Amino acid sequence: MLKSARKKERDPEGRMPLADHLRELRNRLAKGMLAIVVVSIVAAFYSEELMEFLSDPVPRCEDGKPTTGGVCAKVAYMDLLSPFTTTVKVSLMVGVVVASPVWLYQLWAFVAPGLHKHERKYTYAFVAAAVPLFLGGAWLAYEIMPISMRVLLSITPDGSENILPMDKILDFSVRMVLVFGVSFELPLLLVMLNMTGIVTGRRMLTWWRGVVMGVFVFGAVATPTTDPFGMIALAGPIVVLYFLAVGFSILNDKRRRRSDPDAELDDDEASDLDLTPQPVDDIEPVPAAKAVPEQVNGDGGRSSKYNGYDDVT
């Protein structure tokens, strides 16, 4: 009886025909999409609470008066389809985020067989550090959004009223969370480059002026708020994480140097040679039996045929 594809013995190095690779990719993508769809359907029943949570940073107006101080705004749906499209958008966003452990595992299970053991170890460490960093950036974005919104609304001319579309508020909130979350991963990328030996901690330390300037410019451009408070709130933690990454890289370089003194040398750089004199052992005599037979006579001396010399000397 023929065995099914699942029961066939797999290659220990994860190799398989192209058709099997495509079939496995299709199955894993289907499982990931199914998880997203199921979670999105469940999230649709709580879409009202989710939209209230995402729009909560907006200072609301009640009877024309601000409820949280400063200038307020009214949240509204601008057209007939906005409630439906906003609900679908929020449900899909929650489905992608909540089902991420499932589809990330499916992606990892497809890629992992082609990685070496040390590459898998680095990947585990990367994921273990990336998740809390992203969550920390997302939490910081959600905390500063009310302040940033008040700053932006404060420039509203007198006599004008702010009416914010709900879908625009959701886009703004998602952009803030993604920008802060992804930005918090930049120092982790430097650590991974150091772990793979591409860049040293000492080299990264020499970049600190350019990195600090670049981070603040990035914070001014990337944040949707475009206000100084949002720029400082994004750039400040990244600079701190950068110096933490530099410190970790320097310690890692010292550890690597102790185990391998030539680890940080370039390909065209010579290693240090140990020129300490060493005692020379006594010369070991070569037995006559190991000499060429033509050079040895019966009593172990040179052949007398050439007056004590062989045909070479």
Side-chain angles (χ1 to χ4, degrees):
M1 181 182 296
L2 296 176
K3 295 183 178 179
S4 62
R6 290 185 178 181
K7 294 182 180 180
K8 291 182 179 179
E9 294 184 0
R10 294 188 176 184
D11 189 281
E13 297 182 0
R15 293 174 297 188
M16 61 177 65
L18 178 60
D20 292 342
H21 273 297
L22 295 177
R23 189 178 298 108
E24 183 182 7
L25 178 61
R26 180 200 62 188
N27 295 336
R28 296 197 179 280
L29 288 177
K31 293 177 183 179
M33 292 298 298
L34 179 61
I36 293 175
V37 170
V38 171
V39 176
S40 298
I41 293 175
V42 175
F45 292 96
Y46 301 94
S47 58
E48 185 175 353
E49 291 81 358
L50 293 171
M51 287 187 287
E52 182 67 23
F53 173 77
L54 293 174
S55 63
D56 187 63
V58 179
R60 304 296 183 92
C61 292
E62 293 181 1
D63 299 330
K65 297 180 180 180
T67 59
T68 56
V71 180
C72 63
K74 290 183 179 180
V75 180
Y77 293 99
M78 305 304 294
D79 56 63
L80 183 62
L81 294 177
S82 290
F84 174 76
T85 56
T86 305
T87 300
V88 173
K89 185 184 298 184
V90 171
S91 300
L92 287 176
M93 181 184 66
V94 173
V96 172
V97 173
V98 176
S100 58
V102 177
W103 59 264
L104 283 176
Y105 169 77
Q106 297 298 329
L107 179 62
W108 169 253
F110 178 75
V111 175
L115 299 178
H116 296 289
K117 185 176 181 180
H118 68 280
E119 293 174 338
R120 298 181 189 178
K121 180 181 66 175
Y122 289 155
T123 305
Y124 289 137
F126 182 85
V127 173
V131 172
L133 284 176
F134 184 88
L135 294 178
W139 172 83
L140 180 61
Y142 190 81
E143 289 295 321
I144 71 169
M145 270 195 290
I147 302 176
S148 298
M149 288 183 177
R150 293 192 194 102
V151 172
L152 294 175
L153 293 175
S154 63
I155 61 177
T156 304
D158 294 336
S160 301
E161 185 178 7
N162 289 302
I163 300 177
L164 304 180
M166 187 64 181
D167 55 345
K168 298 296 183 181
I169 295 175
L170 295 179
D171 292 340
F172 178 85
S173 301
V174 172
R175 284 180 59 192
M176 283 284 289
V177 169
L178 290 179
V179 167
F180 274 71
V182 174
S183 299
F184 273 46
E185 308 290 345
L186 296 179
L188 181 60
L189 178 61
L190 293 177
V191 171
M192 295 302 296
L193 292 176
N194 175 260
M195 294 290 292
T196 55
I198 298 177
V199 65
T200 62
R202 188 177 303 173
R203 178 70 60 83
M204 286 191 293
L205 185 59
T206 61
W207 299 342
W208 74 269
R209 294 180 180 85
V211 169
V212 172
M213 177 62 69
V215 167
F216 274 91
V217 172
F218 172 78
V221 175
T223 52
T225 58
T226 65
D227 63 289
F229 180 80
M231 176 190 68
I232 296 174
L234 175 62
I238 295 178
V239 170
V240 174
L241 290 173
Y242 165 75
F243 283 106
L244 291 177
V246 170
F248 174 86
S249 300
I250 292 175
L251 294 177
N252 183 59
D253 292 339
K254 291 182 179 179
R255 177 194 61 81
R256 184 184 300 156
R257 197 179 301 115
R258 286 194 299 266
S259 59
D260 185 6
D262 301 333
E264 297 182 4
L265 294 177
D266 296 332
D267 295 338
D268 56 350
E269 186 177 357
S271 59
D272 295 332
L273 299 178
D274 186 7
L275 302 179
T276 304
Q278 299 290 336
V280 179
D281 297 334
D282 296 335
I283 299 177
E284 183 179 354
V286 179
K290 294 183 179 180
V292 181
E294 290 79 0
Q295 300 178 2
V296 181
N297 52 20
D299 56 357
R302 293 184 178 274
S303 175
S304 59
K305 179 180 179 181
Y306 301 102
N307 298 323
Y309 298 95
D310 56 21
D311 55 352
V312 175
T313 58

